[in-house]
Each structure stands twice: as C-alpha cells, then as structure tokens.
Amino acid sequence: MNAESVMERIAASHAGQAARMAGGAAWARRRELALARVLGSGLPDRRNENWKYLDHAKIAEREFDPAPRVTLTADRLAPCLLPLAAARRLVLVDGHFEPQLSDADAGTGVVVHDLATLFSTDPAGAMRLLREPGDDSDDRYALLADAFAAGGLVIRVDANAAPAGTLYLLHVSSASLPGTSHARVVIEVGAGARLRLVEHFVALGDAPAFSNLAAEMQIAAGATVEHVRLHQSGGQSAQLETWVIEQQADSSYSQHLFALGGRLLRSNLNLSLAGSRAQCRLAGLFMVDGERQADLYTQIEHHGAATRTIQNFRGIASERGRGAFNGRIIVHPAARGADASQSSRNLLLTPLAEINSRPQLEIHTDDVKCRHGATIGTLDPAQLFYLLARGLDPDTARSLLTFAFCEDVITGVPLPELRRGIEELVVGRLPDRDVIRSFR
Amino acid sequence: MMILSVRDLRVRAGERLILDGVTLDVRAGEVCAIMGPNGSGKSTLTGVLAGRPGLEVISGTATYLGRDLLAMPAEERARQGLFLAFQYPVEIPGVNNVYLLKASLNALRKHRGEPELDAFEFLNLVRAKIRQMQMDESLLNRGVNEGFSGGEKKRNEILQMSLLEPTLALLDETDSGLDIDALKVVADGVNALRSPDRAIVMVTHYQRLLDYVVPDQVHVLAGGRIVRSGGRELALELERRGYDWLREGTAAA
Ligand SMILES: Nc1ncnc2c1ncn2[C@@H]1O[C@H](COP(=O)(O)OP(=O)(O)OP(=O)(O)O)[C@@H](O)[C@H]1O
Ligand SMILES: [Mg+2]
C-alpha cells in the first residue's frame, strides 16, 4: 500500500463524516484546515528520525473509517475493570464519552465536560480549550485527531482541590469490527491541586482497530499529579497517542507507563518543565512478545530553573517482539541548576526479538547535572546458573529473572491493589507463571 | 558406597584446557578436601560437576550415585542431591532470598516424591536453620545475596545447604573471607551434615577449616591434575612447605 492511497483513504473517511461533526462553521473550518495540513505533509514515516522504529505499514493497513457505534452494557465492561477502591470512573468507548458507564460525580473539585456536548453548546469554548497541533512530525497524529475531533473529555481540577480516591479514565476500544477512532482529552489541574489519575486501555474484540488519542495536561503551580497508564488492549489493536504536558513552578508529575498489550503501540510524550523547580518522574515498562511492537518516545524540555527529571524505563522483548525507547531530554539555557537522569535498560529474551534504545541529552547550559545510560542485554548466565544449581526449573528461573528485571518499575506504582494487578499482568506474560505467582 | 567417581576428566573453558585428566573418588561418609594454588582449576572442577555453562568436557567421565552426571542438566543434578556452595555467590536483586529457599526446597521435595511444605512449616524450618547459622533474619527478605557482605554470602550458602541436606556437597572456598566466629559456625554447619550416607568435598586454601572439619582425604590439584593425595597430614605439610615442591614433582613425572 503506498502513501498516496493512505492519504486518499483518510480524505475519503473525513468526507464521509464531516457533515455529522458538531461545532458549527468555525469547527468545520478548523477540521478542514487540519485535514489539509495532514494531507499536505503526510503521516510520519521511517525516514523521520523520531519515527524510524515504528512499523508504519501496520497503521497504513488499518481501516480509517470509524467502526459503527456500539452500545456497551456495564456487564460487558465489568470483567475489564481494574479493582480500584473508591475510584471515580470515566469511560470513553471508541473515543466517545459514555456517561451511562461513568460515575456522575468525578469527585470534589473535579469538573468533567463531554467534548461532544461542548462542541454543540460552546464551540468557541472548545476552540480555546483544544490546543491546535503544530507542524512538527511528532504532532502529526494529534493533527489528525484534530481533523476528526468529535469526542473526548475535558477534566478540570480546581485550585487546591484534593479529590479523594482515584480518577479512573478507561479507554475502551470495541474492536468488534475494523475501524479508526480519534479522541481528545484535556486535563487542567489547578494550582496546588492533587490528582491521582489511572488511565487504562482495553480492547473488547479482536478486530484490527486503530485508536488515536491526542491528550494534553496543564499542571499549574504547586500541583501534584500521579498518573498511571496501563495499556492492556489485547489482540490486533493499534494505539497511537500524543501526550503534551506542561508543568508550572513547583509542580510535581509522576507517570508510570505500562505497555503490556496490543499489536502496536506508539506513545509520544512531550513534557515541558516550564516553571522553576517543576519536577517529573517517569517510569515505564514495555513487554513485547509474539509479533507485537511498542515504541515509546519521550521528549522532556527543561525551561525553568532548578527543574528536575528522573526517567527510568525498562523493556523486555521475546519471540518476534519489537520494542523501542527513544528519549530526548533538552535543557534550555534558562534552566540553570537543572537535574536530569535517564536510564533505559532492556532485556532481549530471544534472538529474533529486537530492541532499540536511544537516550539523548541536549544541554544548552553549563549549570546542570545530567546522567544517562542505556543497556540492552540478555539474562545473566551466572544468575541463571545459580538458580538452576538450586534445583529450579529453567523456565521458572528465566521467568524469575525477567520479573526481577522490571520489579522496581512495578514497585513504584502508587496503589497496592493496582500494583498487584499490574504485577499479575506482567507475571501472566511470563512462562511458568504459576510458579512465579507462588513466589510473590 | 561410591558417591562420586571422576575419571580422567579433561575440561576446556574458552580456548584453554583447564582440567587435564582429573581422577577422584568420593565415598559415602567421607569428607574430602581439595587444595591447590590459585588458578589450578578447583572451581572449574566443582563447576563442571554442578553443570556450570561455558565449560566444555573434552573427555573423561563423572559418575554420581551410579549415574552419568555430565549428561544431566544442572537443575537435575541439584534435585538428585548435589549441592554447590559457590566461591562467589552471585547477587540476584529482585528475587527474594526466602522465596528462593522455598522454591528450591520444594523442587527437591517434589523430585523425591515428598509433599511440598506449607508456608508455616517452611518458615519454622528456616527460622531454626537461620538461628543455627547465627544469621540476621532480615537477610531472608532481601534479594538473593543482594548487598550481603562477603561473610553473609558464605553463610547464606551454608544455610541453603543445611536446608537442602544434599547427598554430595561441593564447598568452593566457603571458608574464605570468614571471620573466626563465622568459620566456626560454617564448620558446625558442615559437621552437622556429615553422615554415613552423604559426602562432602571442600575446596580450601587454609588448614584452619580442616581443624574443625577433619577430612578423610586431602587432594592437591595443580596444573589441572590431582598431583598428590593423602590424609589430613598432607594439609599440614602444605601449610609448612607451600606448593612448589609438588610442582617440581609434576614436572618430573
Ligand atoms: N572462560 C575461560 N577462558 C579462559 N580461561 C579461563 C576461563 N575460565 C577460567 N579460566 C582460567 O582457568 C584457570 C582455573 O580457574 P579456576 O577458577 O578453576 O581456578 P581455582 O583453582 O578455583 O583458583 P582460585 O584458588 O583462585 O579460586 C584460571 O587460570 C582461570 O583464569
Ligand atoms: Mg576457585
């Protein structure tokens, strides 16, 4: 399939839907413009440094028309839910907010708007709220989402609010038929507020669905956000996501990203430490087996003085799985006293698996402390032999060491019940899982 | 009864021939000491017997309880009651020490057709052993050997040994790096294992351990061969005279 035909299919899909999209003339113009920009520049491909590890053909072969809307019952959803005590749930199905599957009250100090409604009731407000994606290729899929913008959520946390419990944002891909869905999510966290957000991605069916999420988060001064992101979609699903996060002074953001599902995942994070002393802590783990691919790209920009980054990513690839970590940290001249550390450690379990790791530091000031390191290796034969010499089964020994490799990323997950759930998902991916379970 | 019988074993690591025809018999009830200069192949010998990867057997045999030891995978040897206390126990962060003990014991019990111990029985057993080893209980819940001091690692090896009660224990310099009290504790652990149906092979550089655990036989490994065998008095002689006189002996032979 050549690039031209992908663009033609995207244009045709847009033409088929445009008339049904809400928001009046202004939004119709904005979408047309966004579409024209996508068609003009094309989607990123391998020639682009930041996109060179992604299997673009897997996206090009997808159906770009939306799948027919499905109505889900709570029963259908129940088996997918994470066991989060006292969580307020917000559910997006194929990019559309589903109030009847969601909690009406998102917590004290939290206001939620359905974007689909906002387009009709306050198109000008929606225009102000939704960032217009730039020309950078890292923003191209966000631009595509802008061209198709129809649904999603706006979440506002009031200044100094500290909603009890967890905000649980569930992204469901119905995947009963092939199709593409786009979603926008905007989160504004007010000054001094505290938010714990769990994002969870699941697919209900096995059809080759494509989900494209463009999301942004504004974290005001002194706010604290804990963000767990769990990709657990099974089967053939492909997920593209573009997150843009901006942090003001003295804010603190931590993310725990687990890429444990789907046929293909490309995750873009562009995080800006805009205000002084803003700090972010990013932990990530991908596990790819079978023919699966995970491609994690992060760009962290230090603008404010004394800003701080701690990034710790792990990757595990087996069978024909392919994983990539591409992490850029840019320290701008104004970021005096910045401190950034970046570590990417990766484990290749089989000869046909593939991992690429590219940590990159760009430093434009002298007054800065930076460390980075990347390793790609196999299980340590000395450790393996030690376990065998104690009578353990080779599969058990390998699984134990594999689990040990990513354990510290899991240990960092804030909620015990969530930590156990994720641990279970990781263990479930390993051979000899029952023995490992008895180890926990 | 013969527990271990090694015949003319030649082993290569990388490009180097390291064991050049080792012959050794260990009978039930015996404690046998192996001494020899640094780099003479002692760890290679214990390693090849335990199934360490990267060692290539060129010729010779090793028979354990009448079976071809070298044909068995490492875990099978362990399950059949062979135990190697490593000279340099490896650290395994993220794998809990006490869980390893439990998995290991249960793997061996399962192999013998015995039921697995439940959590309560197991903990009682481990607690008793850890008191014997005069170890801090907090070491149980750390990663395997993670951040253990040299002496703690060695005690941990002996703790595993006393829990697994092997038929053949190969102790590779378990006495090195121990303070005097720890040496006594380790020696007690080894003596407690002594029985008419087990055997112990101790690699050591020092006479001191042999004061506590009196060997039935002492062998000297040099240049990849056993160049001298004798009783405990051989160890005393080595302490006095060093190894040089034996090396001359090999050259002449
Ligand atoms: N993979 C290898 N390639 C080349 N040489 C090796 C390899 N492994 C071990 N050797 C060498 O084999 C020799 C024997 O090593 P071994 O560890 O068995 O000695 P040792 O008798 O246990 O010594 P020590 O008393 O210092 O513990 C050493 O010279 C060592 O460097
Ligand atoms: Mg040695």
Side-chain angles (χ1 to χ4, degrees), chain A residues 103-128:
Chain A
D103 287 317
D105 174 9
T108 315
V110 182
V111 181
V112 174
H113 294 287
D114 178 359
L115 255 182
T117 314
L118 208 63
F119 280 132
S120 313
T121 57
D122 185 10
M127 197 67 82
R128 280 193 305 276

Side-chain angles (χ1 to χ4, degrees), chain B residues 37-44 46 52 87-88 172-173 203 205:
Chain B
N38 292 133
S40 59
K42 302 178 299 296
S43 294
T44 305
T46 56
R52 193 173 92 201
Q87 182 177 2
Y88 303 110
D172 192 354
E173 294 199 27
V203 172
H205 285 295

Side-chain angles (χ1 to χ4, degrees), chain B residues 171-235:
Chain B
L171 311 183
D172 192 354
E173 294 199 27
T174 303
D175 54 334
S176 296
L178 292 181
D179 65 39
I180 297 157
D181 292 342
L183 184 68
K184 185 80 176 51
V185 169
V186 163
D188 287 347
V190 176
N191 280 326
L193 191 76
R194 274 184 107 148
S195 85
D197 48 2
R198 304 179 200 284
I200 297 163
V201 173
M202 296 188 305
V203 172
T204 182
H205 285 295
Y206 306 107
Q207 165 60 33
R208 185 181 283 277
L209 176 68
L210 305 182
D211 287 341
Y212 293 117
V213 186
V214 179
D216 300 295
Q217 299 188 50
V218 176
H219 303 283
V220 180
L221 187 66
R225 291 159 175 261
I226 306 273
V227 295
R228 192 75 150 214
S229 299
R232 63 180 302 207
E233 66 292 341
L234 177 57

